């Protein structure tokens, strides 16, 4: 919280991920940063103090199941605090392909896509096969038994038969968002 | 080879899997079983001595990539020596969904399907989502690095988000074929 | 619970697995689905609204020890909500073979069998050797130390020397039941 | 070979396990130990120079499949060079229980039993359940895929639900034989 | 508790391991088995109803550190309820060899020894090298970090360079005691 | 080789990775594709038939040690056949920081960087901390012992404390190059 | 606490690591050791009864991030109770090299350095490359997902490409401090 | 070999580890470095061109078994080319404690000790308990089955209950020697 305060005091936009709600409440009680808000699903404290230029392109964040939402939400708030416009495409796991295929056009327009999936993590390969932009894949620890806390999804994504898929740590929505944002910013910077 | 000979001498159909070609050649030189043949891709010696009633339904054996063919071939010769009619649907990995989707009708007619895939093994989940029959999934050791000799595909298949997918050992085309054949025989026995 | 309600509102039979009792109690307080009941051992909420045609054949669910019962119970409620008649054969682990062998006749009549076992998981191989129908094996996380949360039983079942054994995820009674039911329905559909 | 020679020179019985045949041939060429013989299956060089008092009880060495024979043979030559009478009971894997059950009486008379099994290694539990003497279990690296070079059989045996089963290293027929012999000698010493 | 009661009702000696104290208290409140007692360190409920003939030989149970005592205590109550006289030799880990060596004479007289050790589990090899009787080794989950919940000690013991060491599951004092007792009973039976 | 030929016959640029030299020699003997060449270090067959527009930006491919060169070379030929200009920056492992720091300016100009490292794989984090563009990290199987065939480098890279690092499969120079090229093309397309 | 008391009673300096605060409070209530103090971050009880000669050289304890502080603090109190002067250099992880490089001169003067790092653990290699004294590396369990409770940092450190790096158990600040102190004492003893 | 030549050309002492004999022979044929020699057991090419001041203290290198000698030999040539006097103490594994204990006085005089052991790797703990100097432990890949290519010995050494033991990579005699030499040099530098 010390780090948060010192960054915030300089007028920056600040993001604290993996923060429990009671940390936010303690911060709120100080009344120092009335614009700070708590994003419950993402478990993040967000403080927007500077207005950001919104990105031109929308960054799609695709999830396999509803249980993957907290990780997707972390990716979303991270990308947004860095200026990205995002769209969450939920619950389009590979066992119901039609739901995913309905979003094909939208996905094919993106500069870069974040795919969030636990259990068998097959969604990254399928999305990777549908588009020609890079895919940043986030395995999640959703699952049980032989998912081994996200190992299954991690290995799946690393072995993706679709080229152009790169992977971040299990449940690391933050790092996926930073990587995707860096890519998108480089692209839009050139325009 | 002793086991092969003693089974063959009783007039049975005999299958020896995981047999190198030189074993077959040694057998061939004995001239005892002139009808024995070597299936190179499947690495199997096959001896059909009894005519089998062919199954009514075709058993689809679906593979993700050409490198998975030896395991698929083992499944095929195993199922056939047990009387199944089979159809090999090759190279329909999830990175090129359209190729797989072109076979949807055929897959939806089957009583049971064998899916053979290495690397990320996502094909089992996708097929499982397209059909309402049981899927017997065979992870293969195809891949390198983080495929860990088939572990990646194995975990993927065990964590399949599509219900109705059951898994056999890595590279075990034989066991998948036996399981699928047992299912199909039970079904056709009832007719 | 939203998903449960929306499925239930359409008059379907609904099953929610891995649901804690307080979720059921919250549901019960709404008084919307008075026919919903909580299956404590299976940790499942069950709502039967449509009468199902009962299957002709009984689906045996065989467990190695009493500690495996919750997973077996999940398989049982799942199969029953899909119309299967089931029989739970409990505590017939391989260290006391006579108990298992007393059920041989019953097992040999089945179309398909579910075997639920933790620790060393040897029961699947032994049952597989006694019958000629497919066996769906469910490793459980029962055990400690070198059972590594079900890994031991999982590997045992994947390496079964009995052909015709296929495996689902650790503790996944649901998926075993769906697979077994799909098989049995295909068979009875043909009659 | 230096160690072998120096032990042999003292008139001891000597056993060299995990020795390739060419090592034996080199030894044979020296003509120093004409009574030394090579046990091919066990991959062992054996030199009996002292007559041993044979044990009263027979030590049963039970194997699941023919592929386990080399490890069983190592156990056999080790036990014999230490004076044990042994009996090899082969190919009685759990998928064909009747073959094993035919040996029940013999097993129940033993002071201690060695069980050698790869793949799923379930034989140790089943034998352990049939007898009331200690069982020394040797997992073997027989198998492929998810047998992970003997890990599957090792975990199975460590998790045995039958009490009285203790385990040695994968493929370590030697250590099993030493342990079993120590037990048997203690017993017969008391008589 | 049902199992406990039914065994106890027959007048047997009964042992319930891995039982929390509240289970014992519930049992005690029933007043059915006033002789039942709770062994806190071993986490076991013990009911001795039949007088046992005490074994002639003492069974040494050797532990590396004080943290291994609960597992050693489980072994001790198990062996005692089966009639063994035991002696606990504590805190003689290999980092202080002199403490262990002070017990050498005692250890060399035993018929069989139980060694209980966590962390690096080296004690089993060292004891095995000092004696010529079988050693039953119990790895414990004592340790942290790279002990991986007992895996380190388990692997150490399986790889023991001292012959005659056999291993049971992590923390399984019960199984070690049963194995050691079976050995000792066989020996004393012969006298 | 069939796939290579059919792609080549259409006048495409074709790349076959993980191809041994004898495969190339067989291809060369057919005289069909005289422009095909073999890149020994990369173990790739390359056939450039169409002239590509060279990328404006140079893609740096950074390696920790000389043993990582084959994987870096695979990345290099892959990126080049897709039109990228590349620069190989070799042997700048973290144990000699000054060598790496000498390239800082060059790295900070890039749109995207490929980092190839085995053993402890720390280079990806260090490069990631020096730049503000995305880093595609390739763990290699270089190392021995506890490198576990690349697992060590893989885990290191996934846990990178520098944001903006995404990872591909062990030794997968191909996939890293495709991902980096997709990013760079998106960027230059916008210009 | 018995061990603590008996050591303390002899007038020794005593250190109890991995002690929760309530243990200290119980000790404090006894009023026996009024000079005992609780080091909260290190989770250690410290009792200095004998004045120590302070070491001439300062022992640097370097940490990658603030989350590694508890392990660094354990190393610090351990080294200090053994007479070492220490300096904690915090939060100099490899993603921000300039912070680390600012301490180069200080590090190059040391006799031995302790490096504490979790996540990817790359700091040990980088420090090892900057100095010519031995580095004792402590992996920590800081991280999540593919850090696998410290395994990632452990493997990184074992595979360090900088020579002169030796590693202790995950989170084992105590052992690192003992090793470093032994080294430093040997050096200063010679002076 | 290029690196070797360029270092050698400057008149340095050069050591190339993990070099097969044919590499040395190729080097020898060039006649450029007639003083270069091949150390077969260590698999190292050694070129001493500068006379080194021999260390005052002897560095003991202790091995558990003869199979560990190649790694010990690598440590020995490495330490010697850096000026250390060394003494190899062989085959003093913990299963025969008296052999080790006979060297106690010698070990207690050392500044630092290298311990090389495979299989269960217990030697490091036992030596660590006998001395008060730092111990650098090298796990080796000697063993089979559950030694998992050195993992067993590695974990044992990391979990050593003796303080003052630090560990290097599996089979890494080189790094152990560098670390031990750095320690010893610091000590003797002070004299």
């Amino acid at each position: 919280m010390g780090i948060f305060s010192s960054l915030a005091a300089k007028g920056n936009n600040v993001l604290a991920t993996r923060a429990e709600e009671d940390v936010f409440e303690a911060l709120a009680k100080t009344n120092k940063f009335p614009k700070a808000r708590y994003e419950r699903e993402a478990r993040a404290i967000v403080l927007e103090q500077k207005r950001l230029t919104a990105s031109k392109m929308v960054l799609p964040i695709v999830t396999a199941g509803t249980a993957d939402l907290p990780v997707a939400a972390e990716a979303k708030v991270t990308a947004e605090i860095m200026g990205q416009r995002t769209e969450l495409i939920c619950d389009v796991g590979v066992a119901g392909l039609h739901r995913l295929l309905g979003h094909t056009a939208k996905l094919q327009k993106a500069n870069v896509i974040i795919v969030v999936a636990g259990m068998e993590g097959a969604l990254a390969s399928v999305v990777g096969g549908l588009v020609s932009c890079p895919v940043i894949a986030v395995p999640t620890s959703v699952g049980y038994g032989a998912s081994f806390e996200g190992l299954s999804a991690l290995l799946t994504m690393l072995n993706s038969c679709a080229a152009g898929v790169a992977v971040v740590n299990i449940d690391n929505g933050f790092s996926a968002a930073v990587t995707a944002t860096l890519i998108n910013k480089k692209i839009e910077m050139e325009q």
Side-chain angles (χ1 to χ4, degrees), chain A residues 61-66 69 72 87-93 99-100 103:
Chain A
I61 301 171
V62 187
T63 76
T66 52
L69 276 177
E87 176 174 359
L88 205 51
I89 302 177
C90 281
D91 207 13
V92 292
R99 286 197 304 271
L100 174 64
H103 296 277

Side-chain angles (χ1 to χ4, degrees), chain A residues 13 37 48 50-61 73-88 110-114 173-189 191:
Chain A
N13 291 345
R37 71 176 193 275
E48 274 188 68
K50 284 190 196 162
R51 177 147 312 181
L52 295 159
T53 318
S55 65
K56 285 175 216 157
M57 293 298 290
V58 168
L59 169 62
I61 301 171
E74 184 183 286
K76 190 172 155 69
V77 298
T78 304
E80 286 174 357
I81 197 84
M82 295 173 77
Q84 301 300 300
R85 292 191 298 137
T86 65
E87 176 174 359
L88 205 51
N111 282 337
V112 55
I113 298 168
I114 292 174
F174 172 78
S175 181
V178 172
T179 307
T181 300
L182 290 180
I183 293 172
N184 214 20
K185 282 195 165 169
K186 281 277 176 193
I187 296 170
E188 304 202 343
M189 200 188 307
Q191 292 170 328

Side-chain angles (χ1 to χ4, degrees), chain A residues 1-15 27 32-34 36 45-50:
Chain A
M1 213 157 92
I3 303 173
F4 187 96
S5 296
S6 77
L7 285 168
K10 292 174 190 154
N12 290 313
N13 291 345
V14 190
L15 174 71
L27 186 81
K32 282 206 219 154
F33 307 108
I45 306 172
V46 183
L47 174 59
E48 274 188 68
Q49 304 191 113
K50 284 190 196 162

